[in-house]
Structures are given as C-alpha cells and as structure tokens.
C-alpha cells in the first residue's frame, strides 16, 4: 500500500474521505500520520478516532518559520511515507524543506488552477463571473499554489450561488478528485519529472479531468 502522511489545518473532510476509502478497500493506501499546525484542528480528532497517530506542531512553539517547517517535515519523514498530502493545510511551506521532497508532496486547492491561487477562491470566482469552477490537485513547489497540476474536477457556477453554496458543490467533487488522484499515484501512473507531470510514462499536456 501507498504510505501517506496528511497535513491538515482544519475540518479534515478530505482526510476523512481518504480514511473511509482505505476502510472500504477502494484505496490501496495507509495513513502513516496526520500533522497539523493547529492543536484544535478537527482533522486531528478524526485521525485519532480512526486510530491514526496525530500530532500538532504549533508555529509559535518554534523560533521561526524555517525551524517549524524543518521540525514538522523531519518528523513526518521519520515514518517514511511515500507521499505527503496537504489536505486543507493553510500554511506556506518553505523552499528549504521542499527541495528534497519534490514529487512526493501534493496539495488539493479549491479552484481550477492557475485561476484563483491563494485564499477566498469561491468568493473570487463569483466576483469574476466565471461559468466554471472546481478543484485541483498539484505537486507542491515554493510558488504558492503554483506547482504542476495533476488533476482537476469541474463544477458549474449557478446563477443563485453564494460562496457557501459554491464551496459545498466544489467540496463534494474534491473528495473523489483527491481519491482518484491518489489511486493514479498508488498505481505508479503519475510522476513528476523535470519537464512536468508524466502520466503512464508520457508527458501530460493537460491535467487529468476527474
Ligand atoms: C478544501 O476545500 C481544500 O481544497 C482547501 O481547504 C479545504 C479543506 O477542507 N484548501 C486550501 O484552501 C489550501 N489553500 P477539509 O479540511 O474539510 O479537507
């Protein structure tokens, strides 16, 4: 099974989708641990409820940002995960910890990247008047939400949407998007090479549409 470490800052519904899929036998993986920058993250409680080691490392307990990043990623790697998944992890990750982990770190982001990097993506999508919105899974680089996109899921924006309704429609597609991307990675079908994302041994010209 693919050994996955999960980073989460909040609710943890994407983590729960992973745990449920593993339990149901539809994802050949094992969660080695769940890590958070917040002690009160619901994701930690969900992990403990599932018997998964869960640990908070609060930035304020460290001298500076690089030492927090280093401590957390060294602790994560002690479990020897194949893949580190940011599932609602709301902190920037420093370039110094990313370099040695390139291609082993992915993030799920609530927009059709490269549109709407950063925060408040649903409100911004509404204000921009786009007809389509969605979620993306990408390899993490030092550029915020800027790494190579592996896969996307699309939803329509409806006339009477507000940010909460749109967010809920996207989230419902995020869970299967993340799970399906993990299945592709677990099967060894997706890799990050120097020139971009490779799927089944060939350079991908566009993200997988899942
Ligand atoms: C998800 O919508 C995820 O895409 C987003 O936070 C939410 C976490 O939900 N991530 C980001 O905005 C990253 N910048 P969850 O905690 O229920 O999985």
């Amino acid at each position: 099974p693919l050994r996955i470490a999960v980073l989460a800052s909040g609710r943890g519904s994407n983590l729960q989708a992973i745990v449920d899929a593993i339990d149901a036998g539809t994802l050949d993986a094992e969660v080695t641990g769940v890590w958070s920058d917040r002690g009160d993250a619901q994701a930690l409680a969900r992990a403990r409820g599932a018997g998964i080691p869960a640990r908070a490392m609060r930035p304020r307990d460290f001298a500076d940002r690089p030492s927090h990043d280093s401590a957390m990623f060294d602790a994560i790697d002690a479990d020897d995960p194949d893949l580190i998944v940011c599932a609602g992890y709301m902190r920037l990750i420093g370039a110094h910890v990313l370099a040695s982990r390139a291609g082993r770190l992915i993030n799920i982001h609530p927009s059709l990247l490269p549109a709407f990097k950063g925060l408040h993506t649903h409100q911004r999508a509404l204000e921009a008047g786009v007809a389509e919105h969605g979620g993306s899974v990408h390899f993490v680089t030092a550029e915020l939400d800027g790494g190579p996109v592996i896969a996307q899921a699309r939803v329509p924006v409806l006339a009477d949407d507000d940010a909460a309704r749109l967010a809920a429609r996207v989230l419902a597609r995020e869970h299967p998007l993340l799970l399906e991307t993990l299945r592709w990675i677990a099967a060894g079908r997706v890799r990050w090479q120097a020139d971009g994302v490779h799927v089944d041994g060939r350079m991908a010209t566009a993200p997988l549409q899942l």
Side-chain angles (χ1 to χ4, degrees):
L2 185 76
R3 293 171 60 77
I4 303 172
V6 177
L7 272 71
S9 299
R11 182 177 53 191
S13 72
N14 278 287
L15 165 68
Q16 190 71 57
I18 294 171
V19 169
D20 291 348
I22 292 171
D23 282 353
T26 61
L27 175 64
D28 185 23
E30 175 190 341
V31 180
T32 59
V34 174
W35 304 83
S36 187
D37 56 325
R38 299 181 56 107
D40 61 354
Q42 198 190 338
L44 293 173
R46 291 183 193 260
R48 292 182 184 121
I52 297 164
R55 188 162 159 203
M57 293 177 86
R58 298 178 307 171
R60 66 163 177 246
D61 295 335
F62 293 83
D64 53 24
R65 174 180 282 277
S67 49
H68 174 258
D69 277 339
S70 295
M72 192 149 84
F73 279 85
D74 287 349
I76 290 169
D77 274 351
D79 295 331
D80 201 24
D82 301 307
L83 189 72
I84 304 169
V85 178
C86 296
Y89 185 65
M90 302 308 281
R91 279 178 68 82
L92 276 171
I93 299 169
H96 69 290
V97 295
L98 294 177
S100 61
R101 297 172 178 90
R104 282 208 300 126
L105 189 57
I106 65 171
N107 177 49
I108 183 158
H109 179 78
S111 78
L112 295 174
L113 292 171
F116 311 120
K117 297 173 181 177
L119 298 175
H120 312 299
T121 58
H122 308 299
Q123 186 60 40
R124 287 160 56 211
L126 289 175
E127 283 162 10
V130 294
E132 238 187 354
H133 187 44
S136 304
V137 179
H138 65 92
F139 286 112
V140 176
T141 64
E143 189 198 337
L144 174 70
D145 301 325
V149 179
I150 304 165
Q152 294 181 319
R154 295 168 182 274
V155 305
V157 179
L158 304 181
D160 59 347
D161 271 346
D162 58 17
R165 261 198 299 272
L166 185 53
R169 189 176 311 117
V170 171
L171 189 69
R173 296 287 285 111
E174 279 188 47
H175 299 156
L177 168 67
L178 180 57
L179 294 178
E180 193 60 12
T181 305
L182 290 173
R183 291 184 190 108
W184 282 75
I185 292 172
R189 300 182 67 185
V190 169
R191 285 178 212 284
W192 185 17
Q193 311 280 30
D195 57 349
V197 177
H198 285 229
V199 176
D200 290 337
R202 277 197 213 124
M203 160 97 162
T205 52
L208 296 165
Q209 301 297 313
L210 299 178

